[in-house]
């Protein structure tokens, strides 16, 4: 089984690279892909660089060029749902692109013809996350993640995303990865630990908590890999 693990920023995959320790580096399309194996699982690891376009390229590359059969995204997110605090984990049940707008033609926000507003995560991976959370006595909230090519640091924008997509958290890559995986029929899921509340203080909060929250997410991914080894 070849498993892809991706983040957007180097900080989001550094805890995983440090954990795996030995890996081979392959360069492709102006990016680096790290190949390793963990307890018999073949792993391709990469950070895409920020945003939907970069994330799409990386997800497609991991699947088409490196043969990934499942994709796990690990990283940080801005909280929309006020129950989510710094360091809390959220796993996406479904994801939408909040910056996609052809509403003048009568379509809903986030929709393009032949697409869908929401792409759903793989149920098997969600179930796996749930059982790992129970075993580790960790709380992982399930919810809707909204994605767009903007760092949100404004309460009005955040509230618009909340009411338009019923979103619980927001970030800049998840939904694009979801579209790619859905099209290529690869089970995926997106896990994020909260780094900020997408408000006025988001920039400072993000800088302060990027590393610690990225680590919380990465550690949960490793616990999931440990569980995958057994099936
Ligand atoms: C944005 C990163 C991008 O990959 C999306 C973090 C956390 N809080 C967010 C928010 N709005 C949107 N997304 C997020 N990630 C950071 S850009 C800063 C780069 O600094 C999730 C995310 N409020 C690099 C140093 O110059």
């Amino acid at each position: 089984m070849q498993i892809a693990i991706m983040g957007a920023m180097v900080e989001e995959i550094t805890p995983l690279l440090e954990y795996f320790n030995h890996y081979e580096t392959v360069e492709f399309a102006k990016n680096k892909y790290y190949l390793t194996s963990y307890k018999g699982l073949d792993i391709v690891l990469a950070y895409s660089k920020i945003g939907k376009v970069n994330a799409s390229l990386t997800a497609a590359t991991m699947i088409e060029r490196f043969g990934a059969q499942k994709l796990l995204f690990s990283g940080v997110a801005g909280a929309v749902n006020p129950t989510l605090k710094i360091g809390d984990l959220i796993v996406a049940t479904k994801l939408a692109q909040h910056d996609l707008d052809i509403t003048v033609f009568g379509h809903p926000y986030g929709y393009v013809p032949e697409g869908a507003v929401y792409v759903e995560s793989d149920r098997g991976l969600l179930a796996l996350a749930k059982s790992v959370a129970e075993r580790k006595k960790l709380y992982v909230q399930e919810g809707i993640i909204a994605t767009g090519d903007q760092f949100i640091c404004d309460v009005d924008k955040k509230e618009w995303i909340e009411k338009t997509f019923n979103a619980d958290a927001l970030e800049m890559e998840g939904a694009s990865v979801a579209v790619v995986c859905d099209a290529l029929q690869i089970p995926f899921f997106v896990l994020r630990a909260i780094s900020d509340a997408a408000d006025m203080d988001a920039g400072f909060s993000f800088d302060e908590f990027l590393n610690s929250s990225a680590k919380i997410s990465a550690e949960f991914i490793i616990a999931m890999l440990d569980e995958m080894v057994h099936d």
Side-chain angles (χ1 to χ4, degrees):
M1 172 72 80
Q2 173 84 264
I3 296 171
I5 308 172
M6 69 175 282
M9 302 179 72
V10 66
E11 290 86 348
E12 291 174 318
I13 70 155
T14 296
L16 292 159
L17 278 179
E18 285 174 355
Y19 186 78
F20 295 133
N21 194 265
H22 286 285
Y23 46 82
E24 182 193 340
T25 307
V26 180
E27 290 198 28
F28 180 77
K30 295 195 177 174
N31 208 353
K32 289 192 179 74
Y33 291 82
Y34 305 97
L35 307 178
T36 189
S37 74
Y38 177 69
K39 300 185 179 172
L41 300 169
D42 289 320
I43 290 173
V44 53
L45 184 66
Y47 70 96
S48 58
K49 297 176 272 191
I50 293 164
K52 295 195 297 179
V53 174
N54 286 323
S56 306
L57 173 61
T58 294
T61 297
M62 288 171 131
I63 297 163
E64 287 296 299
R65 192 163 185 105
F66 294 99
Q69 295 160 292
K70 281 186 185 181
L71 188 148
L72 311 176
F73 191 105
S74 178
V76 301
V80 174
N81 187 329
T83 61
L84 286 168
K85 306 296 182 202
I86 302 293
D88 286 354
L89 285 165
I90 174 165
V91 55
T93 50
K94 54 183 185 175
L95 305 99
Q97 297 179 62
H98 69 68
D99 58 352
L100 196 48
D101 178 358
I102 56 165
T103 53
V104 72
F105 300 101
H107 295 298
Y109 284 103
Y111 178 84
V112 289
E114 300 180 56
V117 175
Y118 297 100
V119 180
E120 288 183 16
S121 312
D122 180 64
R123 280 161 201 263
L125 288 170
L126 287 178
L128 181 65
K130 214 170 217 170
S131 77
V132 168
E134 274 163 25
R135 186 167 52 80
K136 292 234 148 199
K137 304 215 181 328
L138 289 169
Y139 181 65
V140 184
Q141 185 160 327
E142 287 192 347
I144 296 173
I145 291 185
T147 300
D149 281 331
Q150 301 157 0
F151 184 82
I152 305 292
C153 46
D154 178 295
V155 170
D156 290 339
K157 277 189 197 158
K158 170 169 82 161
E159 286 177 356
W160 180 84
I161 291 167
E162 177 172 34
K163 79 169 192 306
T164 308
F165 297 95
N166 201 14
D168 297 293
L170 53 81
E171 34 84 312
M172 302 178 65
E173 296 84 17
S176 61
V177 171
V179 169
V180 168
C181 291
D182 181 61
L184 294 171
Q185 296 181 290
I186 293 297
F188 75 94
F189 100 138
V190 177
L191 178 74
R192 302 265 188 176
I194 300 302
S195 58
D196 58 84
D199 56 7
M200 222 169 71
D201 305 319
F204 300 103
S205 179
F206 176 81
D207 282 340
E208 187 173 348
F209 296 109
L210 168 62
N211 288 312
S212 55
S213 292
K215 189 155 187 261
I216 290 169
S217 180
E219 281 171 356
F220 194 86
I221 293 286
I222 290 161
M224 284 186 64
L225 294 178
D226 287 333
E227 197 83 1
M228 285 168 134
V229 170
H230 302 305
D231 335 313

